[in-house]
Amino acid sequence: MGLLNDTITKITARDDDARARAKARLDQLTMPHWALGRLMDLGMDLAGMTGEMPPPVKRKTIVTMAADHGVAEEGVSLYPQEVTAQMIYNFVNGGAGVNALSSITGARVVVVDMGVKADLGALDGKIVDKKIAPGSSNIAIGPAMSAEEAVRCVEAGIEVALDLAESTDVFGTGDMGIGNTTPSSAIIAAITGKDPGEITGRGTGIDDSQLERKVSVVRKILGVNKPDGGDGMDVLAKVGGFEIGGIAGLALGAASARKPVLVDGFISTAGALIAGALAPRSVDYMIAAHLSVEPGHAAMLEALGKRAFLDMDMRLGEGTGAALAMTLVDAASKVLTDIATFEEAAVSTADK
Amino acid sequence: MGLLNDTITKITARDDDARARAKARLDQLTMPHWALGRLMDLGMDLAGMTGEMPPPVKRKTIVTMAADHGVAEEGVSLYPQEVTAQMIYNFVNGGAGVNALSSITGARVVVVDMGVKADLGALDGKIVDKKIAPGSSNIAIGPAMSAEEAVRCVEAGIEVALDLAESTDVFGTGDMGIGNTTPSSAIIAAITGKDPGEITGRGTGIDDSQLERKVSVVRKILGVNKPDGGDGMDVLAKVGGFEIGGIAGLALGAASARKPVLVDGFISTAGALIAGALAPRSVDYMIAAHLSVEPGHAAMLEALGKRAFLDMDMRLGEGTGAALAMTLVDAASKVLTDIATFEEAAVSTADK
């Protein structure tokens, strides 16, 4: 618990002074006041998070956390479990969605094995090995992991963040794990108190009868495990997953290093909810990249007090939403640095 | 009318075959079916518009059309009219919002003087001179321009599109003109039949009493000019503006050359509405970049049958929304070309 507690202690409030300096410049740009709207809000937030004006944003890292889930045996996904490991190879070979979208802004993709149910030794040096166990246990019949494993996976995420922080200005989160929308739905239900029928979605694309079954599985998961919604670590251990804990840790570690974190979609936001339960101030360093098609995502973002930037009907995960939203980080940065003020450009100001 | 009629005749339907080839690839990518949602729709549309798979998207041009408006003397804007010309200098010097946002994707910004009320001779060679007249007439007391000038400004826009088409894969539209939300509001009201109170907004940031006055000016404009909403050229001549006609022409010219056009915000969409009234098929080549804060924008997009890609609380114009949405064009292109299929990556497909 040493690293976890130390990290939480180190998370400070955003820097009001850097934020004010960003606002002061944005207020004077050659345009009607705040006419670039949310790009200007984002620029101000980036300055507050990093404590620098202009905020550094050049070095971008998407961290894709992968793990398997015992609950996959309940038939909650359309895909067989071996797809998790197959997709890791696809990430490493540069052939996945997250690779394609990261390339737009030159973001690096770092893949972390948090608990894939396969021997990934052949990828030694190409992925980060933080494997807690080969897949979490089936949460429809008991807890996902022990309390000790829950701490270990969050701390593993913190370690990844701290290792990468020196070479990263902005983080993005991502996930891979067949079956992982089910624990994510259970996490929202546990933390927000929403009914599973409202916040459980089609994941990889299941049909109506499969969805009905998935909702009943989520209800069963909550009944069997009785997670304490006020205790992030209890929720993670009982109804979470290793990559979700890793994402929570990444968010905590990044916040402790004053690095903005673009939170991807449904599974990443479940990790963000866990992080927020463990350290409410970590939420100040999170940016909601996009709104997922999964119906529970809006409820999660509401719980975090965030409004997503993109609404593209995406539901892939991997970090694809975070990778796409990196373009908005670049845009917000350009607005802060590349637009002339009224004085610089000798443009007449508004009549008062 | 020769160029206008020739151009309209040349606008053909999108290429179903290229579109089908795009869909065939997207259907097989290593992800749950269509999990990148609107990026995949966009990729398919780009293939259909250009007739090529993959569609070329590298060479991007934002065309910022500028003009002044006699109606500015009604006090509908917060800024003095000389700001139009001052901002042209700002565009040329690279200090405006559209320059900053275009730089993210390497888009070129081309500024066109469609009718600025200032001598811009000092910018010879740096902007395109298509000046119809030094500002349109005050539409609160009579038509904006003659029927002949309306044709000339649309044809000027077509000429710009055709001149640039050889060196452009994707166009974006933009506008500059103090007072131009007022004619744009009149255009929506004329074409969609909506009440001016519903679709007139704060433009550069006017307050409640100024807004009330602006709504009454729009009502007066419609009463004085009685535009025929079914006749795009009549609407443009009576209640439009030179840059709005130029944007309409740009959209027609681009469509005739099979080039996709990212339509920026409120004023650009007024131009797009005129283009759609003149040649309904031109709408097939338009992409709605973003949803403006201006309340009438949603009504315009509905009339065009478009859903905006970005919702960033922006209301600057210049082409800033189109420039930002160019990142989505790049993303859609990467999705088409850089993601492996299940077969290529040896990933297991969904259980059927």
Side-chain angles (χ1 to χ4, degrees):
Chain A
M1 294 281 272
L3 178 60
L4 175 61
N5 288 334
D6 283 359
T7 302
I8 291 173
T9 308
K10 276 187 194 141
I11 302 174
T12 57
R14 293 200 279 199
D15 184 331
D16 286 341
D17 180 60
R19 197 179 160 82
R21 276 179 287 144
K23 181 173 186 303
R25 172 145 193 110
L26 293 169
D27 279 342
Q28 300 169 53
L29 298 184
T30 42
M31 63 182 66
H33 190 252
W34 224 256
L36 287 175
R38 301 183 70 201
L39 283 183
M40 299 177 112
D41 301 339
L42 178 57
M44 216 167 55
D45 284 348
L46 290 167
M49 291 173 188
T50 60
E52 292 181 54
M53 172 56 204
V57 300
K58 196 170 176 189
R59 300 169 306 164
K60 304 171 180 75
T61 307
I62 307 286
V63 181
T64 304
M65 299 274 187
D68 276 304
H69 297 265
V71 76
E73 67 199 31
E74 301 291 323
V76 288
S77 177
L78 222 55
Y79 290 81
Q81 196 167 43
E82 63 258 29
V83 166
T84 305
Q86 289 168 348
M87 285 300 295
I88 307 277
Y89 282 88
N90 201 13
F91 297 146
V92 168
N93 293 330
V98 69
N99 306 104
L101 295 184
S102 293
S103 72
I104 308 170
T105 62
R108 166 176 56 159
V109 178
V110 173
V111 180
V112 183
D113 175 6
M114 290 296 306
V116 178
K117 195 176 175 179
D119 180 357
L120 298 174
L123 297 177
D124 193 30
K126 294 180 176 169
I127 64 173
V128 178
D129 178 11
K130 296 283 183 185
K131 200 192 292 272
I132 308 295
S136 54
S137 302
N138 183 350
I139 53 179
I141 54 179
M145 64 190 88
S146 68
E148 188 263 336
E149 285 173 324
V151 173
R152 271 173 55 210
C153 74
V154 174
E155 291 193 332
I158 293 172
E159 286 165 7
V160 171
L162 299 182
D163 284 350
L164 294 169
E166 281 179 34
S167 57
T168 299
D169 295 318
V170 183
F171 280 102
T173 69
D175 72 284
M176 179 68 223
I178 293 301
N180 68 7
T181 57
T182 297
S184 299
S185 293
I187 289 169
I188 326 171
I191 291 184
T192 70
K194 299 262 183 198
D195 185 82
E198 270 180 71
I199 47 81
T200 303
R202 293 174 193 274
T204 45
I206 56 177
D207 65 22
D208 286 352
S209 71
Q210 289 165 320
L211 176 60
E212 203 175 304
R213 175 170 166 75
K214 185 173 169 186
V215 172
S216 73
V217 170
V218 174
R219 288 193 204 285
K220 189 175 167 199
I221 289 165
L222 296 166
V224 165
N225 290 292
K226 299 186 175 50
D228 173 0
D231 179 345
M233 205 55 88
D234 188 65
V235 173
L236 175 62
K238 286 180 175 162
V239 305
F242 297 130
E243 84 280 45
I244 297 173
I247 290 166
L250 185 85
L252 296 176
S256 77
R258 305 195 71 95
K259 305 289 181 180
V261 183
L262 291 189
V263 178
D264 189 35
F266 190 61
I267 285 87
S268 283
T269 312
L273 273 180
I274 301 280
L278 294 171
R281 198 164 257 169
S282 68
V283 177
D284 287 354
Y285 293 82
M286 298 175 188
I287 297 161
H290 84 113
L291 181 66
S292 166
V293 172
E294 280 290 307
H297 196 211
M300 285 174 162
L301 292 177
E302 195 189 330
L304 287 169
K306 299 287 177 188
R307 177 178 164 200
F309 275 97
L310 296 165
D311 185 5
M312 298 288 290
D313 295 347
M314 286 163 52
R315 55 186 175 82
L316 177 53
E318 299 180 1
T320 47
L324 189 57
M326 285 290 185
T327 59
L328 302 179
V329 168
D330 278 341
S333 166
K334 293 280 186 192
V335 171
L336 280 171
T337 57
D338 287 17
I339 304 181
T341 62
F342 281 101
E343 197 181 336
E344 287 164 2
V347 171
S348 306
T349 54
D351 301 326
K352 297 293 178 186
Chain B
M1 293 283 271
L3 178 61
L4 175 61
N5 288 335
D6 284 358
T7 302
I8 290 173
T9 309
K10 278 188 192 141
I11 302 174
T12 56
R14 292 199 280 198
D15 184 331
D16 286 341
D17 179 59
R19 197 179 158 81
R21 277 181 285 146
K23 182 173 185 304
R25 172 146 192 108
L26 293 169
D27 279 341
Q28 301 169 51
L29 299 184
T30 43
M31 62 181 68
H33 189 251
W34 224 256
L36 287 175
R38 302 183 70 201
L39 284 183
M40 299 177 111
D41 301 339
L42 179 57
M44 217 166 56
D45 284 349
L46 290 167
M49 291 172 188
T50 60
E52 294 182 52
M53 172 56 203
V57 299
K58 196 170 175 190
R59 300 170 306 165
K60 303 170 179 77
T61 306
I62 307 287
V63 180
T64 303
M65 299 273 187
D68 276 304
H69 298 264
V71 75
E73 67 199 30
E74 301 292 323
V76 288
S77 177
L78 222 55
Y79 289 81
Q81 196 167 44
E82 64 259 29
V83 166
T84 304
Q86 290 168 347
M87 284 301 294
I88 307 277
Y89 282 87
N90 201 13
F91 297 146
V92 169
N93 293 329
V98 69
N99 306 103
L101 295 184
S102 294
S103 72
I104 308 171
T105 62
R108 168 175 54 158
V109 179
V110 173
V111 180
V112 183
D113 175 5
M114 290 296 306
V116 178
K117 195 175 174 180
D119 180 357
L120 298 175
L123 296 178
D124 193 31
K126 295 180 175 169
I127 65 173
V128 177
D129 178 10
K130 296 283 182 185
K131 198 192 294 273
I132 308 294
S136 54
S137 301
N138 182 352
I139 52 179
I141 53 180
M145 63 190 87
S146 68
E148 189 264 336
E149 286 173 324
V151 172
R152 271 174 55 210
C153 73
V154 174
E155 291 193 332
I158 293 172
E159 287 165 6
V160 171
L162 299 182
D163 284 349
L164 293 169
E166 282 179 34
S167 57
T168 299
D169 295 316
V170 183
F171 281 102
T173 69
D175 73 284
M176 179 68 223
I178 291 301
N180 66 7
T181 57
T182 297
S184 299
S185 293
I187 288 169
I188 324 171
I191 290 184
T192 70
K194 299 263 183 195
D195 184 82
E198 270 179 70
I199 47 82
T200 303
R202 293 174 192 275
T204 45
I206 56 176
D207 65 22
D208 287 352
S209 71
Q210 290 165 319
L211 176 59
E212 203 176 305
R213 176 171 166 73
K214 184 173 169 186
V215 171
S216 74
V217 169
V218 174
R219 288 193 203 286
K220 189 175 168 196
I221 290 165
L222 295 166
V224 165
N225 290 290
K226 298 187 177 50
D228 172 1
D231 179 345
M233 206 54 89
D234 189 66
V235 173
L236 175 62
K238 287 180 174 163
V239 306
F242 298 130
E243 84 281 44
I244 296 173
I247 290 166
L250 185 86
L252 296 176
S256 77
R258 306 194 70 93
K259 305 289 181 181
V261 184
L262 291 189
V263 178
D264 190 36
F266 190 62
I267 286 87
S268 282
T269 312
L273 273 180
I274 301 281
L278 295 171
R281 198 164 257 171
S282 68
V283 177
D284 287 354
Y285 293 82
M286 298 175 188
I287 296 162
H290 84 113
L291 180 66
S292 166
V293 171
E294 280 290 307
H297 196 212
M300 285 175 164
L301 293 176
E302 196 189 328
L304 288 169
K306 300 286 179 190
R307 177 178 163 201
F309 275 98
L310 295 166
D311 185 5
M312 298 289 289
D313 295 347
M314 285 163 53
R315 55 184 175 82
L316 177 53
E318 299 180 0
T320 48
L324 189 58
M326 286 289 185
T327 61
L328 301 179
V329 169
D330 278 341
S333 166
K334 293 280 184 190
V335 170
L336 280 171
T337 57
D338 287 16
I339 304 181
T341 63
F342 281 101
E343 198 182 336
E344 287 164 2
V347 171
S348 306
T349 54
D351 302 325
K352 297 290 178 188

